[in-house]
Amino acid sequence: MSCDKFEPLIALYIENDLAQAEARAVESHLAGCDACREFAAEMRESQAALKALRTEFVDDAVFLQVRTEVLSAAAHGQRVVSWPRYAIAAGLVLALLGGWMWQMRPGARLESRPIAANVSAPPLPVTVPAPQARTRTRLGRVQRRRPQAAPMFKSEPLLVKVITDDPQVVIYWLVDQNGG
Amino acid sequence: MQELALLMVSDCADAQKPEFARLVRQAKAGDAAAFEAILCQFERRVLLTAMRLLNGNLEDAKDAAQQVFLRLHRSLHQLDASRHFASWLYRITVNVCRDMLRVRARRPVVPLEEAGHCAMAGGTEDAMRRDEQMRLIYAALASLPERERAAIVLRDLEGISTAEVARILGSSEVTVRSQISNGRVKIRKFIDRQQRRRL
Protein backbone atom coordinates (compact mmCIF):
# COMPACT_ATOMS: atom_id res chain seq x y z
CA MET A 1 0.00 0.00 0.00
CA SER A 2 1.33 3.46 -0.91
CA CYS A 3 1.77 6.35 1.53
CA ASP A 4 -1.20 8.18 -0.06
CA LYS A 5 -3.44 5.34 0.95
CA PHE A 6 -2.07 5.37 4.48
CA GLU A 7 -2.83 9.07 5.07
CA PRO A 8 -6.55 8.67 5.81
CA LEU A 9 -5.77 5.73 8.06
CA ILE A 10 -3.10 7.69 9.92
CA ALA A 11 -5.63 10.48 10.45
CA LEU A 12 -7.79 7.94 12.26
CA TYR A 13 -4.93 6.10 13.93
CA ILE A 14 -3.67 9.15 15.84
CA GLU A 15 -7.00 9.34 17.68
CA ASN A 16 -7.36 5.57 18.22
CA ASP A 17 -10.22 5.37 15.73
CA LEU A 18 -8.97 2.24 13.97
CA ALA A 19 -9.73 -1.40 14.64
CA GLN A 20 -6.80 -3.41 15.99
CA ALA A 21 -5.87 -5.03 12.68
CA GLU A 22 -5.84 -1.71 10.83
CA ALA A 23 -3.90 -0.05 13.65
CA ARG A 24 -1.25 -2.79 13.46
CA ALA A 25 -0.94 -2.30 9.70
CA VAL A 26 -0.45 1.44 10.17
CA GLU A 27 2.12 0.90 12.91
CA SER A 28 4.19 -1.43 10.78
CA HIS A 29 4.07 1.09 7.91
CA LEU A 30 5.07 3.97 10.19
CA ALA A 31 8.01 1.95 11.47
CA GLY A 32 9.55 1.95 8.01
CA CYS A 33 8.37 5.29 6.54
CA ASP A 34 9.87 8.64 7.62
CA ALA A 35 7.44 10.72 5.57
CA CYS A 36 4.41 9.07 7.14
CA ARG A 37 5.91 9.40 10.62
CA GLU A 38 6.33 13.12 9.97
CA PHE A 39 2.77 13.28 8.67
CA ALA A 40 1.51 11.54 11.81
CA ALA A 41 3.42 13.99 14.02
CA GLU A 42 1.91 16.96 12.17
CA MET A 43 -1.54 15.43 12.43
CA ARG A 44 -1.09 15.08 16.19
CA GLU A 45 -0.11 18.75 16.41
CA SER A 46 -3.09 19.97 14.43
CA GLN A 47 -5.42 17.76 16.46
CA ALA A 48 -4.00 19.24 19.67
CA ALA A 49 -4.62 22.72 18.26
CA LEU A 50 -8.17 21.76 17.30
CA LYS A 51 -8.88 20.40 20.76
CA ALA A 52 -7.82 23.71 22.28
CA LEU A 53 -11.37 24.76 21.41
CA ARG A 54 -12.53 22.43 24.17
CA THR A 55 -11.08 24.82 26.72
CA GLU A 56 -12.89 27.78 25.23
CA PHE A 57 -14.32 30.18 27.78
CA VAL A 58 -17.90 31.39 27.52
CA ASP A 59 -19.21 33.63 30.25
CA ASP A 60 -21.98 32.24 32.46
CA ALA A 61 -23.99 35.37 31.67
CA VAL A 62 -24.34 34.08 28.10
CA PHE A 63 -25.94 30.85 29.29
CA LEU A 64 -28.17 32.76 31.67
CA GLN A 65 -29.31 35.00 28.81
CA VAL A 66 -30.11 32.01 26.58
CA ARG A 67 -31.95 30.27 29.42
CA THR A 68 -33.98 33.35 30.30
CA GLU A 69 -35.02 33.93 26.70
CA VAL A 70 -35.92 30.28 26.14
CA LEU A 71 -38.03 30.10 29.30
CA SER A 72 -39.74 33.38 28.46
CA ALA A 73 -40.45 32.33 24.87
CA ALA A 74 -41.68 28.91 26.01
CA ALA A 75 -44.08 30.50 28.48
CA HIS A 76 -45.21 33.05 25.89
CA GLY A 77 -45.70 30.30 23.33
CA GLN A 78 -48.07 28.49 25.66
CA ARG A 79 -50.16 31.62 26.12
CA VAL A 80 -50.26 32.30 22.40
CA VAL A 81 -51.49 28.81 21.69
CA SER A 82 -54.15 28.60 24.38
CA TRP A 83 -55.41 32.15 24.83
CA PRO A 84 -57.43 32.70 21.60
CA ARG A 85 -59.14 29.34 21.81
CA TYR A 86 -60.54 29.96 25.26
CA ALA A 87 -61.23 33.63 24.55
CA ILE A 88 -63.32 32.74 21.49
CA ALA A 89 -65.18 30.04 23.38
CA ALA A 90 -65.82 32.39 26.32
CA GLY A 91 -66.99 35.13 23.94
CA LEU A 92 -69.44 32.80 22.25
CA VAL A 93 -70.79 31.58 25.57
CA LEU A 94 -71.25 35.16 26.74
CA ALA A 95 -72.98 36.12 23.48
CA LEU A 96 -75.34 33.17 23.75
CA LEU A 97 -76.01 33.90 27.40
CA GLY A 98 -76.75 37.53 26.53
CA GLY A 99 -79.12 36.46 23.76
CA TRP A 100 -80.89 34.08 26.08
CA MET A 101 -81.25 36.76 28.78
CA TRP A 102 -82.61 39.17 26.17
CA GLN A 103 -85.25 36.65 25.21
CA MET A 104 -86.11 35.93 28.84
CA ARG A 105 -86.48 39.60 29.81
CA PRO A 106 -89.83 40.65 31.35
CA GLY A 107 -92.38 41.51 28.70
CA ALA A 108 -90.76 39.46 25.97
CA ARG A 109 -93.22 37.60 23.71
CA LEU A 110 -91.65 34.31 24.63
CA GLU A 111 -93.18 34.52 28.11
CA SER A 112 -96.72 34.42 26.72
CA ARG A 113 -96.12 31.04 25.13
CA PRO A 114 -95.94 27.75 27.00
CA ILE A 115 -92.33 26.80 27.63
CA ALA A 116 -93.14 23.22 26.67
CA ALA A 117 -93.58 24.31 23.08
CA ASN A 118 -89.96 25.45 22.94
CA VAL A 119 -88.51 22.54 24.86
CA SER A 120 -90.30 19.85 22.95
CA ALA A 121 -89.35 21.23 19.54
CA PRO A 122 -86.86 18.79 18.05
CA PRO A 123 -83.43 20.33 17.41
CA LEU A 124 -82.87 20.31 13.71
CA PRO A 125 -79.83 21.21 11.69
CA VAL A 126 -79.87 24.37 9.64
CA THR A 127 -82.28 23.58 6.79
CA VAL A 128 -84.35 25.41 4.25
CA PRO A 129 -87.93 25.45 5.56
CA ALA A 130 -90.54 23.44 3.67
CA PRO A 131 -92.62 25.41 1.12
CA GLN A 132 -94.78 27.85 3.09
CA ALA A 133 -97.99 27.63 1.10
CA ARG A 134 -98.33 23.89 1.43
CA THR A 135 -97.59 23.92 5.15
CA ARG A 136 -100.10 26.66 5.80
CA THR A 137 -102.80 24.80 3.92
CA ARG A 138 -102.27 21.60 5.77
CA LEU A 139 -101.95 23.32 9.13
CA GLY A 140 -105.08 25.25 8.43
CA ARG A 141 -106.97 22.08 7.71
CA VAL A 142 -105.68 20.42 10.88
CA GLN A 143 -106.57 23.44 12.93
CA ARG A 144 -110.07 23.44 11.60
CA ARG A 145 -110.60 19.80 12.43
CA ARG A 146 -108.69 19.52 15.76
CA PRO A 147 -107.73 22.67 17.57
CA GLN A 148 -104.29 22.33 19.23
CA ALA A 149 -103.66 23.05 22.87
CA ALA A 150 -100.18 24.41 22.27
CA PRO A 151 -99.54 27.21 19.81
CA MET A 152 -98.05 26.08 16.52
CA PHE A 153 -94.78 27.46 15.06
CA LYS A 154 -95.04 29.44 11.88
CA SER A 155 -91.70 27.91 10.94
CA GLU A 156 -89.44 25.33 12.52
CA PRO A 157 -86.80 26.37 15.08
CA LEU A 158 -83.31 26.87 13.77
CA LEU A 159 -80.46 25.00 15.43
CA VAL A 160 -77.05 26.62 15.14
CA LYS A 161 -74.13 24.41 16.01
CA VAL A 162 -70.91 26.32 16.85
CA ILE A 163 -67.75 24.26 16.72
CA THR A 164 -64.81 25.73 18.66
CA ASP A 165 -61.12 24.93 18.47
CA ASP A 166 -61.53 22.77 21.52
CA PRO A 167 -63.22 19.52 20.45
CA GLN A 168 -64.78 19.25 23.91
CA VAL A 169 -66.58 22.58 23.55
CA VAL A 170 -69.52 22.51 21.12
CA ILE A 171 -72.19 25.16 21.46
CA TYR A 172 -75.78 24.58 20.29
CA TRP A 173 -77.95 27.64 19.73
CA LEU A 174 -81.67 27.11 19.27
CA VAL A 175 -83.17 30.11 17.50
CA ASP A 176 -86.91 30.65 17.66
CA GLN A 177 -87.86 32.11 14.29
CA ASN A 178 -91.31 33.18 15.43
CA GLY A 179 -90.25 36.51 16.82
CA GLY A 180 -89.08 35.23 20.19
CA MET B 1 -8.82 18.78 28.82
CA GLN B 2 -9.25 15.28 30.17
CA GLU B 3 -11.54 16.66 32.88
CA LEU B 4 -13.76 18.20 30.22
CA ALA B 5 -13.98 14.92 28.37
CA LEU B 6 -14.91 13.15 31.59
CA LEU B 7 -17.51 15.80 32.32
CA MET B 8 -19.08 15.20 28.91
CA VAL B 9 -19.17 11.46 29.44
CA SER B 10 -20.81 11.89 32.84
CA ASP B 11 -23.35 14.27 31.27
CA CYS B 12 -24.28 11.60 28.73
CA ALA B 13 -24.67 9.08 31.53
CA ASP B 14 -26.82 11.55 33.48
CA ALA B 15 -29.27 11.68 30.61
CA GLN B 16 -29.99 7.99 31.11
CA LYS B 17 -30.49 8.16 34.90
CA PRO B 18 -33.93 7.70 36.46
CA GLU B 19 -33.67 11.20 37.90
CA PHE B 20 -33.41 12.61 34.41
CA ALA B 21 -36.43 10.57 33.29
CA ARG B 22 -38.34 12.04 36.22
CA LEU B 23 -37.33 15.56 35.12
CA VAL B 24 -38.59 14.86 31.61
CA ARG B 25 -41.88 13.50 32.99
CA GLN B 26 -42.32 16.62 35.11
CA ALA B 27 -41.44 18.91 32.21
CA LYS B 28 -43.97 17.06 30.02
CA ALA B 29 -46.58 17.74 32.69
CA GLY B 30 -45.86 21.46 32.37
CA ASP B 31 -43.39 21.88 35.24
CA ALA B 32 -41.32 24.90 34.19
CA ALA B 33 -38.71 24.28 36.89
CA ALA B 34 -38.10 20.75 35.56
CA PHE B 35 -37.70 22.10 32.04
CA GLU B 36 -35.24 24.67 33.33
CA ALA B 37 -33.26 21.91 35.06
CA ILE B 38 -33.00 20.02 31.75
CA LEU B 39 -31.95 23.22 30.05
CA CYS B 40 -29.21 23.83 32.65
CA GLN B 41 -27.91 20.33 32.16
CA PHE B 42 -27.48 20.66 28.39
CA GLU B 43 -27.13 24.38 27.64
CA ARG B 44 -23.33 24.40 27.68
CA ARG B 45 -23.01 21.52 25.26
CA VAL B 46 -25.67 22.85 22.90
CA LEU B 47 -24.31 26.39 22.81
CA LEU B 48 -20.67 25.38 22.37
CA THR B 49 -21.52 22.82 19.69
CA ALA B 50 -23.56 25.46 17.88
CA MET B 51 -20.72 27.96 18.13
CA ARG B 52 -18.29 25.47 16.59
CA LEU B 53 -20.69 24.67 13.80
CA LEU B 54 -21.40 28.36 13.17
CA ASN B 55 -17.84 29.53 12.63
CA GLY B 56 -17.34 30.67 16.20
CA ASN B 57 -20.05 33.30 16.04
CA LEU B 58 -21.40 33.62 19.58
CA GLU B 59 -24.50 35.62 18.65
CA ASP B 60 -25.53 33.05 16.04
CA ALA B 61 -24.79 30.27 18.53
CA LYS B 62 -27.09 31.92 21.08
CA ASP B 63 -29.88 32.10 18.49
CA ALA B 64 -29.29 28.47 17.57
CA ALA B 65 -29.30 27.32 21.21
CA GLN B 66 -32.59 29.13 21.79
CA GLN B 67 -34.12 27.46 18.75
CA VAL B 68 -32.88 24.06 19.87
CA PHE B 69 -34.39 24.41 23.34
CA LEU B 70 -37.66 25.78 22.01
CA ARG B 71 -37.87 22.78 19.70
CA LEU B 72 -37.18 20.61 22.71
CA HIS B 73 -39.99 22.34 24.59
CA ARG B 74 -42.39 21.78 21.69
CA SER B 75 -41.35 18.13 21.37
CA LEU B 76 -41.44 17.24 25.06
CA HIS B 77 -44.68 15.29 24.67
CA GLN B 78 -43.09 12.86 22.20
CA LEU B 79 -39.77 12.59 24.01
CA ASP B 80 -38.61 9.26 25.36
CA ALA B 81 -36.12 10.16 28.08
CA SER B 82 -34.74 6.65 28.27
CA ARG B 83 -33.52 6.63 24.67
CA HIS B 84 -30.53 8.66 23.48
CA PHE B 85 -31.71 12.05 24.68
CA ALA B 86 -28.27 13.64 24.23
CA SER B 87 -28.01 12.27 20.68
CA TRP B 88 -31.43 13.63 19.86
CA LEU B 89 -30.42 17.06 21.17
CA TYR B 90 -27.18 17.00 19.17
CA ARG B 91 -29.13 16.07 16.04
CA ILE B 92 -31.46 19.02 16.54
CA THR B 93 -28.47 21.30 17.15
CA VAL B 94 -26.76 20.15 13.94
CA ASN B 95 -29.99 20.62 11.96
CA VAL B 96 -30.71 24.07 13.39
CA CYS B 97 -27.16 25.23 12.66
CA ARG B 98 -27.29 23.80 9.15
CA ASP B 99 -30.56 25.64 8.50
CA MET B 100 -29.15 28.87 9.88
CA LEU B 101 -26.11 28.65 7.65
CA ARG B 102 -28.26 27.94 4.61
CA VAL B 103 -30.80 30.64 5.32
CA ARG B 104 -28.15 33.24 5.94
CA ALA B 105 -26.24 32.02 2.90
CA ARG B 106 -22.99 32.09 4.79
CA ARG B 107 -19.90 31.49 2.82
CA PRO B 108 -18.19 28.39 4.16
CA VAL B 109 -14.88 30.19 4.47
CA VAL B 110 -14.76 33.21 6.77
CA PRO B 111 -11.85 35.60 7.02
CA LEU B 112 -9.58 34.82 9.92
CA GLU B 113 -10.32 38.25 11.44
CA GLU B 114 -14.03 37.41 11.64
CA ALA B 115 -13.77 33.85 12.81
CA GLY B 116 -14.16 33.05 16.52
CA HIS B 117 -16.02 35.86 18.23
CA CYS B 118 -15.74 34.26 21.61
CA ALA B 119 -14.32 36.62 24.19
CA MET B 120 -11.12 35.41 25.74
CA ALA B 121 -10.18 36.35 29.26
CA GLY B 122 -7.65 39.12 29.69
CA GLY B 123 -5.66 41.13 27.17
CA THR B 124 -2.19 39.78 27.85
CA GLU B 125 0.17 38.62 25.14
CA ASP B 126 -0.61 35.02 26.00
CA ALA B 127 -4.32 35.66 25.77
CA MET B 128 -3.89 37.38 22.41
CA ARG B 129 -1.85 34.49 21.05
CA ARG B 130 -4.45 32.09 22.31
CA ASP B 131 -7.21 34.16 20.77
CA GLU B 132 -5.38 34.13 17.45
CA GLN B 133 -5.01 30.37 17.60
CA MET B 134 -8.74 29.99 18.28
CA ARG B 135 -9.53 32.11 15.24
CA LEU B 136 -7.22 29.98 13.14
CA ILE B 137 -8.96 26.80 14.26
CA TYR B 138 -12.40 28.28 13.68
CA ALA B 139 -11.33 29.32 10.19
CA ALA B 140 -10.04 25.79 9.57
CA LEU B 141 -13.37 24.36 10.73
CA ALA B 142 -15.28 26.84 8.60
CA SER B 143 -13.31 25.75 5.54
CA LEU B 144 -14.69 22.20 5.83
CA PRO B 145 -17.81 21.00 4.02
CA GLU B 146 -20.85 20.99 6.28
CA ARG B 147 -20.96 17.24 6.95
CA GLU B 148 -17.24 16.95 7.64
CA ARG B 149 -17.38 19.90 10.02
CA ALA B 150 -20.28 18.34 11.92
CA ALA B 151 -18.48 15.00 12.12
CA ILE B 152 -15.26 16.63 13.40
CA VAL B 153 -17.07 18.80 15.94
CA LEU B 154 -18.99 15.86 17.34
CA ARG B 155 -16.11 13.37 17.34
CA ASP B 156 -13.08 15.50 18.20
CA LEU B 157 -14.58 18.33 20.23
CA GLU B 158 -17.57 16.66 21.85
CA GLY B 159 -15.78 13.34 22.25
CA ILE B 160 -18.68 11.27 20.90
CA SER B 161 -17.94 7.82 19.46
CA THR B 162 -17.95 7.37 15.70
CA ALA B 163 -20.97 5.05 15.89
CA GLU B 164 -22.94 7.66 17.86
CA VAL B 165 -21.88 10.45 15.49
CA ALA B 166 -23.18 8.31 12.62
CA ARG B 167 -26.50 7.94 14.41
CA ILE B 168 -26.71 11.69 15.08
CA LEU B 169 -25.91 12.61 11.49
CA GLY B 170 -28.07 9.88 10.01
CA SER B 171 -25.14 8.40 8.08
CA SER B 172 -23.37 5.09 8.03
CA GLU B 173 -20.37 4.56 10.28
CA VAL B 174 -18.13 4.06 7.25
CA THR B 175 -19.20 7.41 5.78
CA VAL B 176 -18.63 9.22 9.06
CA ARG B 177 -15.22 7.62 9.50
CA SER B 178 -14.28 8.87 6.06
CA GLN B 179 -15.62 12.36 6.85
CA ILE B 180 -13.65 12.47 10.09
CA SER B 181 -10.47 11.33 8.39
CA ASN B 182 -10.83 13.82 5.50
CA GLY B 183 -11.73 16.61 7.92
CA ARG B 184 -8.65 16.04 10.07
CA VAL B 185 -6.33 16.00 7.07
CA LYS B 186 -7.92 19.20 5.70
CA ILE B 187 -7.57 20.96 9.03
CA ARG B 188 -3.90 20.05 9.21
CA LYS B 189 -3.35 21.35 5.66
CA PHE B 190 -5.29 24.56 6.40
CA ILE B 191 -3.27 25.29 9.54
CA ASP B 192 -0.05 24.46 7.70
CA ARG B 193 -0.95 26.86 4.84
CA GLN B 194 -1.82 29.68 7.23
CA GLN B 195 1.35 29.25 9.22
CA ARG B 196 3.51 29.25 6.08
CA ARG B 197 1.76 32.41 4.89
CA ARG B 198 2.67 34.19 8.11
CA LEU B 199 6.33 33.24 8.01
Side-chain angles (χ1 to χ4, degrees):
Chain A
M1 203 190 284
S2 69
C3 292
D4 280 352
K5 297 207 171 170
F6 267 106
E7 275 194 5
L9 291 176
I10 292 169
L12 295 170
Y13 170 78
I14 50 144
E15 293 286 358
N16 299 318
D17 283 334
L18 287 181
Q20 264 191 340
E22 287 175 312
R24 261 188 245 118
V26 170
E27 278 163 6
S28 67
H29 176 78
L30 287 176
C33 180
D34 289 344
C36 282
R37 267 204 307 277
E38 193 183 337
F39 176 76
E42 286 170 1
M43 283 298 305
R44 284 196 182 95
E45 268 179 42
S46 67
Q47 281 299 106
L50 171 69
K51 287 179 182 175
L53 283 187
R54 282 182 173 182
T55 60
E56 202 168 27
F57 170 79
V58 175
D59 200 287
D60 282 347
V62 173
F63 296 109
L64 180 64
Q65 188 191 348
V66 170
R67 203 183 315 147
T68 307
E69 291 190 21
V70 168
L71 292 173
S72 160
H76 180 71
Q78 279 175 344
R79 279 201 300 275
V80 167
V81 169
S82 59
W83 181 82
R85 187 196 305 168
Y86 293 114
I88 290 167
L92 281 169
V93 167
L94 283 175
L96 290 173
L97 192 64
W100 178 76
M101 287 176 73
W102 175 257
Q103 286 193 340
M104 295 298 288
R105 75 191 188 284
R109 288 180 63 189
L110 188 62
E111 279 189 347
S112 62
R113 284 198 301 278
I115 294 170
N118 271 340
V119 173
S120 62
L124 296 171
V126 179
T127 53
V128 177
Q132 292 291 310
R134 201 170 181 181
T135 307
R136 272 198 207 110
T137 309
R138 202 192 316 155
L139 285 175
R141 200 180 304 143
V142 170
Q143 276 179 329
R144 274 197 303 275
R145 288 179 186 171
R146 258 189 301 156
Q148 297 291 308
M152 298 299 292
F153 288 112
K154 287 176 189 167
S155 60
E156 290 171 333
L158 186 71
L159 181 76
V160 179
K161 182 180 179 183
V162 180
I163 299 169
T164 66
D165 285 348
D166 189 339
Q168 293 185 331
V169 179
V170 179
I171 299 163
Y172 289 97
W173 192 354
L174 190 64
V175 181
D176 176 2
Q177 297 187 96
N178 297 302
Chain B
M1 202 173 292
Q2 201 163 4
E3 278 174 18
L4 279 171
L6 285 173
L7 183 71
M8 284 187 287
V9 171
S10 77
D11 275 356
C12 285
D14 283 349
Q16 309 304 327
K17 281 182 181 172
E19 196 180 335
F20 181 74
R22 182 178 53 80
L23 274 181
V24 171
R25 268 201 310 278
Q26 288 172 338
K28 278 182 185 179
D31 184 342
F35 179 66
E36 188 175 359
I38 296 174
L39 216 150
C40 287
Q41 198 168 333
F42 289 95
E43 62 189 1
R44 189 166 288 272
R45 270 195 281 171
V46 168
L47 188 118
L48 288 176
T49 302
M51 194 157 79
R52 289 154 188 169
L53 292 171
L54 295 168
N55 309 330
N57 188 316
L58 182 59
E59 288 307 311
D60 284 355
K62 278 155 65 176
D63 284 352
Q66 284 172 27
Q67 285 187 43
V68 169
F69 286 117
L70 285 174
R71 278 199 201 181
L72 167 66
H73 187 260
R74 283 198 298 271
S75 310
L76 272 175
H77 63 284
Q78 54 187 343
L79 195 68
D80 183 355
S82 62
R83 295 178 69 84
H84 306 294
F85 175 78
S87 300
W88 181 85
L89 209 56
Y90 275 123
R91 183 159 55 243
I92 301 295
T93 307
V94 169
N95 290 345
V96 165
C97 292
R98 184 198 56 208
D99 291 348
M100 282 179 75
L101 285 171
R102 285 181 186 171
V103 167
R104 295 179 190 189
R106 284 274 166 80
R107 290 192 331 183
V109 178
V110 294
L112 274 182
E113 297 72 29
E114 290 175 21
H117 286 192
C118 187
M120 308 308 289
T124 62
E125 200 175 317
D126 271 358
M128 283 167 68
R129 199 177 303 123
R130 196 176 138 80
D131 193 16
E132 193 179 335
Q133 194 189 4
M134 291 291 186
R135 287 173 193 272
L136 176 66
I137 297 298
Y138 269 121
L141 273 177
S143 73
L144 297 179
E146 195 179 284
R147 306 288 285 187
E148 283 178 15
R149 181 166 56 232
I152 288 287
V153 166
L154 295 174
R155 176 73 192 99
D156 288 342
L157 298 178
E158 292 300 307
I160 301 168
S161 72
T162 307
E164 196 61 31
V165 173
R167 202 174 5 244
I168 291 167
L169 298 179
S171 301
S172 70
E173 217 172 312
V174 174
T175 304
V176 167
R177 221 171 77 126
S178 165
Q179 287 166 342
I180 290 169
S181 170
N182 289 340
R184 284 175 185 165
V185 172
K186 284 177 188 170
I187 286 173
R188 185 197 73 84
K189 285 180 180 166
F190 184 93
I191 292 173
D192 192 40
R193 264 201 313 276
Q194 293 297 328
Q195 284 174 343
R196 278 170 202 263
R197 203 175 286 174
R198 285 175 196 187
L199 290 175

